[in-house]
Amino acid sequence: MKMMAQQSATTVSPANLRRYVLKVNGEEREVTSYRDTSLLLVLRNELSLNGPKYGCGLGECGACTVMIDGVAARACVIPAYGVRQRAITTLEGLGQRDALHPVQQAFIDEQAAQCGYCLNGMIMTTAALLQDLPCPSDQQIRSALSGNLCRCGTHQEILCAVKRAVQLCLEQAEAQQ
């Protein structure tokens, strides 16, 4: 028991704090945290980015999903210090207020939210999916979103929103050509 108390005291010692830079939503941001502080806590507490939510703290529910180098990842189980050389995108960095990302717009269009707690994970996972697979099948959509929990039962609306996002992304790509 004494050993655990000593380790804990050592872990939270000011000498163990690290100052480093994270690239978040296209900007370099200086943060200070312990080496094992989760990316979620740094994003929310140090950078005031509240899109990612604290859900289970175990990487199981998806509420904390962000993209790291374009791949959906659970911010609650990733030490922020370990991703300091990588591009991190949060819900706030997907689009802007006056120019929403097609996935964000699709979720609004389809009213795919009830309590909204799962929304961050659903949107971020969908955005990552559509980067890799622009026209996913229903099964691919369900598979990609299977790790995101929605307790309110808006599953049908979420599936409709993802299908709408596919349409919006294709329209956006055509308009850019």
Side-chain angles (χ1 to χ4, degrees):
M1 189 97 140
K2 280 188 175 181
M3 180 78 136
M4 288 178 65
Q6 287 173 344
Q7 276 184 319
S8 179
T10 302
T11 302
V12 296
S13 164
N16 290 331
L17 282 172
R18 300 285 183 258
R19 183 177 297 269
Y20 53 97
V21 174
L22 289 178
K23 185 175 181 182
V24 180
N25 300 329
E27 294 180 28
E28 290 192 354
R29 307 278 304 268
E30 188 172 301
V31 298
T32 303
S33 73
Y34 297 102
R35 287 180 68 110
D36 59 350
T37 301
S38 75
L39 178 58
L40 177 63
L41 292 179
V42 170
L43 291 172
R44 290 182 62 83
N45 297 341
E46 290 239 3
L47 302 179
S48 298
L49 295 169
N50 295 316
K53 305 287 184 240
Y54 184 88
C56 66
L58 302 170
E60 298 290 329
C61 73
C64 66
T65 303
V66 298
M67 288 193 287
I68 299 174
D69 294 334
V71 177
R74 308 306 170 120
C76 71
V77 293
I78 297 171
Y81 188 77
V83 293
R84 63 194 181 283
Q85 304 297 324
R86 303 179 61 198
I88 301 160
T89 305
T90 68
L91 185 65
E92 294 89 348
L94 262 184
Q96 291 111 26
R97 288 182 189 264
D98 58 342
L100 295 176
H101 187 280
V103 175
Q104 292 169 313
Q105 187 62 56
F107 273 73
I108 292 169
D109 292 350
E110 296 298 326
Q111 298 180 10
Q114 202 164 64
C115 81
Y117 210 79
C118 72
L119 221 45
N120 174 76
M122 296 291 186
I123 290 172
M124 297 305 292
T125 302
T126 298
L129 170 67
L130 298 183
Q131 279 183 8
D132 291 338
L133 197 58
C135 293
S137 68
D138 286 357
Q139 183 55 42
Q140 289 167 322
I141 293 168
R142 290 177 199 278
S143 178
L145 295 178
S146 67
N148 293 70
L149 303 179
C150 173
R151 299 182 80 183
C152 297
T154 58
H155 299 92
Q156 282 307 116
E157 291 84 355
I158 290 168
L159 291 173
C160 289
V162 175
K163 291 177 187 180
R164 173 83 176 125
V166 169
Q167 290 175 328
L168 292 175
C169 285
L170 291 173
E171 289 171 12
Q172 186 179 59
E174 287 175 11
Q176 291 175 351
Q177 290 180 352

